Amino acid sequence: MRQNITVLGSTGSIGASTLDVIRRHPERYRAYALCAHSQVDKLFAQCLEFRPAFAVVRDPALAADLAERCRAAGLPTLVRHGVEALVDLAAAPEVDAVMAAIVGAAGLEPTLAAARAGKKVMLANKEVLVMAGELFMRAVREHGAMLLPVDSEHNAIFQSLPADFSRGLASCGVRRILLTASGGPFRNTALADLCHVTPEQACAHPNWVMGRKISVDSATMMNKGLEVIEAHWLFAAPPDMIEVVVHPQSVMHSAVQYNDGSLLAQLGNPDMRTPIAYALAWPERIEAGVEPLDLFAVGRLDFQPPDLERFRCLQLAYDVLREGGTAPAILNAANEVAVAAFLDRALPFLAIARLNEAVLQAVPAGPEGSLDDVLAADAAARRYAGRMIGEGCFA
Ligand code: NAD
Ligand code: MG
């Protein structure tokens, strides 16, 4: 039986890699719904190749344009628009698995809908767990969803843990989780030079080709901070059990240290098709189109502790994780606004961390009781961050 897959964020970096793995296994997987924001040309090309039952875009005008093109090409694809369509297609009875690869808070509602519908959820969209980790994990448990981490580090940790890790890391003999980080493009840049960093420089990641938001997050190491929070929720790991290790080669994708002295890690070339294929086929393994790792070519692996002075955002993530409630949602929202402003050249690179910190100080956190609490905290943080940028506070 072929599995019907909904790809949330099909035109992005993870979306395109997901479709590449699906393309290699037409007997196993069918792209049932392809969902994107506004890149209609790219989405139409994907529709031509994969002939999905549904395609989704942001607004009615884009949907009308895409629907006309699909009709003219004789495709069976029905075109819908908006958040409601994303939610429907994440939860539809025909769907077996959902790739959650929208970037940022926009992915929260459809990904939560997939969990509530008990789907197999392949999670790339880490902001979902940062914003609403408690709600999302509860939905996964209560509705019998299967959660498979796609983020390369979390996928590596998942592979390095015993299958029944949900009974508790301590009772599995886990001492620590070692979350590896490349350190991004500015690991060794003099602090004084970081004032003048451009979006192009920040997006030029040394090892991974990714979307622009996560590339900037990697440059500030906010990405690693978001991943600490992600690991906390995925593996019920207390913050003190999660240690960030800078590993510039990005070959060891993370590791688990056990109390008998063993360290289990997953290694591979930095190519997201590996964790995507793992999540798609789990517990089986399938061809992903990724070159086998050549250890002789790699030669050596280096490891260093992170510099928390330079990478202030990483420290902020540990702080909000310890604070709990809606504090991580506030940090996430502030960071999304800050990164968008940086990419628009309206905020200097070093001001991203300063803005995040200012928003955390100004916007009070509360309990993460419901989705409304999370969305209200997210909105308040965005308003405050937008105002600070508008007033030129960090120019
Ligand atoms: P990207 O910017 O390349 O793609 C984002 C996708 O989301 C696009 O298809 C876009 O159309 C869609 N999208 C954006 N806003 C939307 C909205 N409001 N409604 C519907 N669709 C919307 O990003 P990416 O690099 O593919 O990252 C996607 C997610 O995966 C992020 O959360 C990122 O942190 C995570 N992730 C990415 C990588 C990677 O290697 N790229 C690795 C690990 C985790
Ligand atoms: Mg990652």
Side-chain angles (χ1 to χ4, degrees), residues 186 193-203 212 216-217 219-220 222 313 316 331-359 381-382 384-395:
F186 308 132
D193 295 337
L194 290 180
C195 304
H196 312 292
V197 162
T198 63
E200 291 71 28
Q201 290 169 322
C203 288
R212 281 160 65 81
V216 176
D217 283 349
T220 59
M222 184 76 256
C313 289
L316 293 180
L331 175 59
N332 179 68
N335 184 60
E336 286 193 29
V337 174
V339 171
F342 167 69
L343 288 170
D344 276 351
R345 296 172 207 277
L347 195 72
F349 180 75
L350 287 175
I352 296 174
R354 282 161 50 217
L355 179 66
N356 288 345
E357 194 158 9
V359 174
R382 281 172 201 273
Y384 187 81
R387 209 169 68 226
M388 301 280 275
I389 295 170
E391 289 172 3
C393 297
F394 293 99

Side-chain angles (χ1 to χ4, degrees), residues 53-64:
F54 291 93
V56 181
V57 286
R58 182 193 58 205
D59 65 42
L62 293 173

Side-chain angles (χ1 to χ4, degrees), residues 181-268:
S182 69
F186 308 132
R187 189 171 51 93
N188 295 318
T189 309
L191 267 179
D193 295 337
L194 290 180
C195 304
H196 312 292
V197 162
T198 63
E200 291 71 28
Q201 290 169 322
C203 288
H205 195 278
N207 307 336
W208 298 94
V209 181
M210 309 183 285
R212 281 160 65 81
K213 194 261 179 182
I214 184 176
S215 296
V216 176
D217 283 349
S218 299
T220 59
M221 281 192 85
M222 184 76 256
N223 182 52
K224 211 47 55 181
L226 301 179
E227 290 185 358
V228 168
I229 302 172
E230 182 184 15
H232 164 75
W233 288 113
L234 283 171
F235 308 116
D240 295 340
M241 216 192 229
I242 307 167
E243 184 176 353
V244 172
V245 176
V246 174
H247 163 49
Q249 291 93 351
S250 298
V251 163
M252 186 174 112
H253 297 307
S254 279
V256 178
Q257 200 154 45
Y258 289 87
N259 56 20
D260 63 358
S262 299
L263 186 138
L264 301 190
Q266 184 257 359
L267 284 75

Side-chain angles (χ1 to χ4, degrees), residues 49-103:
E49 179 180 353
F50 292 95
R51 304 177 67 86
F54 291 93
V56 181
V57 286
R58 182 193 58 205
D59 65 42
L62 293 173
D65 172 22
L66 181 63
E68 182 47 42
R69 292 202 228 175
C70 288
R71 224 181 351 261
L75 295 178
T77 309
L78 294 175
V79 180
R80 297 187 53 187
H81 70 270
V83 179
E84 203 184 294
L86 297 176
V87 166
D88 286 351
L89 290 166
E94 297 79 12
V95 171
D96 299 295
V98 175
M99 170 56 74
I102 289 177
V103 58

Side-chain angles (χ1 to χ4, degrees), residues 137-180:
M137 294 308 289
R138 195 188 314 142
V140 166
R141 275 192 309 276
E142 287 178 356
H143 299 276
M146 176 71 220
L147 181 57
L148 289 153
V150 171
D151 210 346
S152 58
E153 296 77 3
H154 306 74
N155 189 269
I157 295 161
F158 186 89
Q159 295 197 40
S160 305
L161 283 170
D164 62 346
F165 69 83
S166 59
R167 69 190 161 90
L169 294 188
S171 51
C172 295
V174 173
R175 187 191 297 272
R176 271 188 317 177
I177 285 178
L178 302 181
L179 192 67
T180 52

